[in-house]
Amino acid sequence: MTSNVKAYRAAILHSLADPAVVGVEASYEYFEDGLLLVEDGRIARVGHAAELLPTLKGVEVVEYRDALITPGFIDTHIHYPQTGMIASYGEQLLDWLNTYTFPTERQFADKAHASDVAEIFLKELLRNGTTTALVFGSVHPQSVDALFEAAEALNLRMIAGKVLMDRNAPDYLTDTPQSGYAESKELIERWHGKGRLHYAVTPRFAPTSSPEQLALAGQLFREYPDLYMHTHLSENRQEIEWVKELFPERTGYLNVYDHYQLIGARAVFAHGVHLCDEECRRLAETGSAVAFCPTSNLFLGSGLFDLNKLEQHGVRVGLGTDVGAGTSFSQLQSLNEAYKVMQLQGKKLDPFKSLYLATLGGAQALYLDDKLGNFASGKDADFVVLDYHATPLISYRLQQAKSLAEKLFALCMLGDDRVVQEAFAAGQSVHRRD
Ligand code: GUN
Ligand code: ZN
């Protein structure tokens, strides 16, 4: 064996499929004493330590006691320029944007500021075990350069784009259909497909783009292979009424994006809190995805996401934090809030569905499940080590647990950045808790 092979020994858990499709028991694989073999930044094998260890000769084995290895978490919707305004008081979406968001994003005209925040942002993601995210920049192209430069230095798989916004926003924060198109194109040429980076065409939401801008965004989305489209959809009731006024000729909010061909594989819509059956059907048949952002939906008072409805229609759903409207970078904390969102609707969220949403479900929503989401051989070695003794309470609670499901559930309810002992991207350690 060569020196670029390394093995990691701990309890290991990963998703194999959506529990809603195959049932809970068939949805995961668990090794109480497991071994994860990593070669050249990729997963070589996963299995029982007792079976794999004798086959290894001269391979370094890193052992974690009382810890669980899972795939790195995938955040399908987050805004990096909003890192510094997380937890801003008192408003719902439209007032929150005007009061806090737009003045904060203005600062990203300054590349040095953008680079400082990009570093803080990526560190925070990794501290929380999130190794891949779909990220909003600001309207300034240099904001995306700053994020991609920082992500490239860490060899992270990241997706991001410059915001397109040419109306209903302050002058200092708007582009034009032509400048937005041209600047996005330059960024695509510079970054899309470079290392593990991908570009997302990013109209902020229907109200802040003119029909001309949406038409050019739709054109750009189809111009390059494997591009993403990232926007917001049906988050807040006032917002939905506003979209009706702005686009009276369209049959609904999703129909605006549909009309401009901003839909399909790799189109990711954040929120979708108030979707009708027809919109769910259309999302499913086009292979589009929705990012469920529970901490944000509760914080902004947007409403309760109907996960089961989207599931029944077969819509791809990932989990998003939506920082800075979201109140945590932690996917575990997002799952904690997701569980409560379901409870308020008289529904359940199985812990293995939670695991799926934060890992393989996110990868499928992003069409990255050939590279991420579980420990199938050949996938990127992006994984996290979760510490069963992260806090006295977590340690004591987990000692009482009689099953893996109970342990996993308690970790989702009580866990946050404190449980993430180490995070790896492409086989390299990118965060180690002090
Ligand atoms: N809709 C349009 N812009 C935003 C934003 O920045 N955050 C959220 N949560 N919703 C939006
Ligand atoms: Zn958002």
Side-chain angles (χ1 to χ4, degrees):
M1 291 264 184
T2 52
S3 59
N4 51 13
V5 181
K6 216 162 165 175
Y8 300 86
R9 183 177 184 178
I12 298 177
L13 173 65
H14 66 149
S15 268
L16 300 176
D18 185 351
V21 175
V22 301
V24 167
E25 285 316 310
S27 78
Y28 69 92
E29 190 172 39
Y30 176 64
F31 305 97
E32 177 90 38
D33 178 12
L35 201 78
L36 185 68
L37 197 61
V38 172
E39 184 168 5
D40 293 331
R42 300 241 168 96
I43 305 297
R45 284 192 72 180
V46 65
H48 296 288
E51 284 171 23
L52 292 183
L53 280 173
T55 70
L56 307 178
K57 292 202 175 59
V59 171
E60 184 187 349
V61 179
V62 181
E63 294 196 6
Y64 298 95
R65 268 180 201 287
D66 294 332
L68 178 69
I69 292 178
T70 72
F73 302 134
I74 296 174
D75 188 334
T76 57
H77 179 66
I78 188 165
H79 301 249
Y80 101 83
Q82 297 175 14
T83 303
M85 54 163 283
I86 188 171
S88 291
Y89 179 78
E91 307 293 354
Q92 293 215 349
L93 176 64
L94 301 179
D95 293 327
W96 175 86
L97 284 172
N98 287 317
T99 310
Y100 301 113
T101 312
F102 293 152
T104 301
E105 293 191 6
R106 182 179 199 172
Q107 301 170 66
F108 288 73
D110 175 6
K111 170 80 188 288
H113 175 77
S115 295
D116 288 347
V117 178
E119 196 141 312
I120 294 166
F121 170 83
L122 291 180
K123 242 184 212 151
E124 198 59 33
L125 279 184
L126 296 172
R127 285 169 44 72
N128 282 281
T130 298
T131 46
T132 287
L134 173 58
V135 186
F136 259 68
S138 70
V139 74
H140 316 94
Q142 58 271 36
S143 75
V144 175
D145 284 323
L147 183 77
F148 277 148
E149 284 162 12
E152 187 181 35
L154 291 162
N155 193 18
L156 302 179
R157 192 171 288 288
M158 284 284 154
I159 314 165
K162 168 205 129 56
V163 167
L164 299 167
M165 176 156 68
D166 70 343
R167 66 170 177 174
N168 294 319
D171 288 345
Y172 61 72
L173 217 56
T174 49
D175 54 12
T176 67
Q178 292 71 28
S179 72
Y181 174 87
E183 288 169 354
S184 300
K185 202 162 185 151
E186 270 181 41
L187 289 166
I188 291 164
E189 299 278 351
R190 186 145 64 244
W191 294 109
H192 185 56
K194 188 169 188 213
R196 299 211 295 157
L197 306 175
H198 313 256
Y199 194 83
V201 177
T202 309
R204 174 166 224 120
F205 65 157
T208 47
S209 284
S210 63
E212 296 71 29
Q213 180 160 69
L214 293 175
L216 280 177
Q219 186 181 315
L220 190 56
F221 181 39
R222 294 187 310 279
E223 261 179 67
Y224 293 82
D226 301 337
L227 271 188
Y228 289 83
M229 197 291 297
H230 187 197
T231 191
H232 296 91
L233 170 69
S234 291
E235 175 178 6
N236 166 288
R237 295 210 182 269
Q238 260 183 304
E239 169 210 17
I240 294 166
E241 288 310 306
W242 194 21
V243 171
K244 275 189 201 153
E245 286 165 27
L246 291 168
F247 298 91
E249 67 287 9
R250 304 269 63 93
T251 57
Y253 199 156
L254 182 65
N255 183 247
V256 176
Y257 297 125
D258 203 341
H259 179 75
Y260 295 105
Q261 297 186 266
L262 293 161
I263 199 165
R266 294 183 186 77
V268 181
F269 298 93
H271 306 299
V273 175
H274 308 284
L275 296 173
C276 66
D277 283 325
E278 173 54 23
E279 288 176 313
C280 293
R281 195 194 58 71
R282 184 68 184 143
L283 286 165
E285 79 176 7
T286 55
S288 308
V290 170
F292 173 22
C293 306
T295 78
S296 166
N297 295 161
L298 294 172
F299 183 73
L300 290 182
S302 303
L304 302 175
F305 182 81
D306 192 344
L307 177 61
N308 292 156
K309 178 168 154 178
L310 275 85
E311 211 170 55
Q312 280 153 18
H313 281 90
V315 180
R316 292 168 187 248
V317 176
L319 189 66
T321 58
D322 193 30
V323 166
T327 51
S328 174
F329 276 77
S330 169
Q331 293 289 73
L332 296 174
Q333 275 309 291
S334 293
L335 291 168
N336 172 0
E337 302 286 279
Y339 179 80
K340 296 167 188 169
V341 165
M342 300 301 280
Q343 279 281 44
L344 283 167
Q345 300 174 88
K347 293 168 183 167
K348 290 194 171 65
L349 183 62
D350 185 276
F352 292 102
K353 176 76 183 195
S354 292
L355 170 75
Y356 168 78
L357 283 172
T359 56
L360 185 60
Q364 289 174 342
L366 300 175
Y367 288 77
L368 287 173
D369 47 309
D370 59 333
K371 299 185 175 69
L372 301 177
N374 66 15
F375 295 137
S377 299
K379 290 198 185 187
D380 297 353
D382 289 6
F383 60 98
V384 292
V385 183
L386 307 179
D387 175 11
Y388 284 157
H389 299 302
T391 73
L393 179 63
I394 288 171
S395 175
Y396 183 62
R397 176 64 184 88
L398 294 184
Q399 281 168 43
Q400 317 307 313
K402 293 180 184 61
S403 66
L404 173 63
E406 191 181 339
K407 243 183 195 173
L408 183 60
F409 182 66
L411 267 180
C412 291
M413 294 304 107
L414 303 173
D416 52 30
D417 55 325
R418 295 170 299 178
V419 309
V420 180
Q421 186 174 335
E422 195 158 3
F424 292 82
Q428 298 299 313
S429 178
V430 284
H431 163 69
R432 193 176 299 179
R433 198 187 56 194
D434 298 331

